[in-house]
């Protein structure tokens, strides 16, 4: 009854701030503005800003080739957006998966890249237990449903890895070598797979995940993160 009334009146509580929002489980306009959502074409190498006339940003042109064909993010990992991601990740607010899933789907609708399957970066099972959910898998499955693309959790972590945030870049890459594997019964041959994760920092987690998928036969890997540091 309450939901019916809300629908009739067009008021739903915003999952970010609790103020009325015009769509169920979606952030209100004010929250979206505060998150500073990205739009349009950005650097396909890292999802950052294009700083010249070339197809990739100067940082990507300087750095080694990335294993993915396209990278995109939804908003900067700072201010209000960062607060919401941290609440989602560490604060026990799995209900933020829906609005984040919708935002990711919205961003992907702006991009015409092949999309056969979606997956997410796995957590080691002990971390998944202690947090009681894998935030990336939650929003990724909602995003996939919104876009009518199949979602499958195709990878698992072979071992626990120390928190990436505490490590310098070189150590991050080493820390993750061989940390992911594809379940033996999964067939990825010829598929264009999108990997979804919460935050893009140096890209080393996604780098390892993308290489794992390519080794397992994926035709191409593309990555989306909610936020970008
Ligand atoms: Zn709001
Ligand atoms: Zn770039």
């Amino acid at each position: 009854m309450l939901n019916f009334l809300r629908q009739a009146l067009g008021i739903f509580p915003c999952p970010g701030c609790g103020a009325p929002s015009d769509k169920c489980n979606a952030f209100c306009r004010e929250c979206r503005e505060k998150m500073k959502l990205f739009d349009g074409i950005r650097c396909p190498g890292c999802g950052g800003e294009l700083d010249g006339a070339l197809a990739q940003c100067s940082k990507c042109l300087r750095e080694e080739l990335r294993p993915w064909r396209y990278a995109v993010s939804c908003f900067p990992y700072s201010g209000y957006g960062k607060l919401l991601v941290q609440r989602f990740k560490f604060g026990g607010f799995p209900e933020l998966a829906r609005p984040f899933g919708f935002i990711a789907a919205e961003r992907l609708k702006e991009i015409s890249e092949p999309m056969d399957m979606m997956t997410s970066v796995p957590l080691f099972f002990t971390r998944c237990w202690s947090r009681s959910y894998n935030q990336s898998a939650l929003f990724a499955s909602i995003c996939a449903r919104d876009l009518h693309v199949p979602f499958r959790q195709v990878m698992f972590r072979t071992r626990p890895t120390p928190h990436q945030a505490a490590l310098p870049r070189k150590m991050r890459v080493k820390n993750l070598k061989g940390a992911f594997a594809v379940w033996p019964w999964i067939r990825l041959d010829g598929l264009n797979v999108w990997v979804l994760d919460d935050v893009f920092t140096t890209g080393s987690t996604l780098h390892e995940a993308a290489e794992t998928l390519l080794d397992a036969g994926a035709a191409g890997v593309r990555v989306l993160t909610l936020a970008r540091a």
Side-chain angles (χ1 to χ4, degrees):
M1 186 63 189
L2 192 60
N3 262 344
F4 172 77
L5 264 178
R6 281 180 177 150
Q7 192 109 40
L9 298 168
I11 35 172
F12 298 97
C14 163
C17 66
S21 174
D22 51 6
K23 197 178 153 204
C24 188
N25 286 317
F27 291 121
C28 71
R29 190 156 13 124
E30 205 173 307
C31 279
R32 292 170 61 94
E33 274 167 20
K34 273 162 65 185
M35 286 160 82
K36 301 187 170 70
L37 298 179
F38 296 142
D39 56 11
I41 300 296
R42 294 171 63 86
C43 173
C46 66
E49 220 165 313
L50 283 171
D51 51 1
L54 297 167
Q56 294 208 342
C57 76
S58 54
K59 197 161 171 259
C60 281
L61 289 172
R62 265 199 319 271
E63 274 182 30
E64 59 184 303
L65 222 56
R66 316 253 200 194
W68 52 78
R69 297 191 186 177
Y70 204 100
V72 63
S73 294
C74 304
F75 53 85
Y77 191 55
S78 59
Y80 188 60
K82 182 173 177 175
L83 185 100
L84 287 178
V85 169
Q86 288 184 335
R87 200 188 286 170
F88 178 40
K89 200 167 167 176
F90 306 114
F93 284 87
E95 60 272 30
L96 286 171
R98 273 177 197 285
F100 278 141
F102 293 152
I103 276 182
E106 220 174 272
R107 186 76 178 112
L108 286 176
K109 282 175 195 163
E110 296 177 20
I111 290 156
S112 50
E113 288 286 317
M115 213 175 277
D116 299 318
M117 183 200 280
M118 281 189 176
T119 189
S120 63
V121 171
L123 292 179
F124 193 62
F125 72 98
T126 48
R127 193 166 294 166
C128 201
W129 281 346
S130 65
R131 204 176 283 172
S132 74
Y133 57 93
N134 173 353
Q135 72 283 352
S136 297
L138 280 188
F139 90 84
S141 59
I142 284 159
C143 170
R145 203 184 314 154
D146 205 36
L147 295 171
H148 307 288
V149 174
F151 170 84
R152 289 189 80 180
Q153 189 59 275
V154 300
M155 288 179 284
F156 63 97
R157 287 223 185 210
T158 55
R159 55 185 162 83
T161 47
H163 274 290
Q164 288 288 95
L167 301 171
R169 187 180 148 74
K170 262 209 174 120
M171 287 294 290
R172 287 177 179 226
V173 177
K174 214 172 147 204
N175 179 34
L176 284 166
K177 209 79 213 129
F180 303 124
V182 170
W183 295 108
W185 54 84
I186 299 280
R187 287 281 155 272
L188 297 174
D189 304 324
L191 293 182
N192 285 293
V193 184
W194 279 79
V195 193
L196 276 60
D197 201 10
D198 45 17
V199 186
F200 187 107
T201 313
T202 60
S204 40
T205 307
L206 286 165
H207 193 112
E208 188 57 31
E211 286 197 328
T212 305
L213 294 168
L214 289 172
D215 285 347
V221 176
R222 291 159 180 82
V223 301
L224 172 138
T225 57
L226 289 175
R228 190 186 180 284

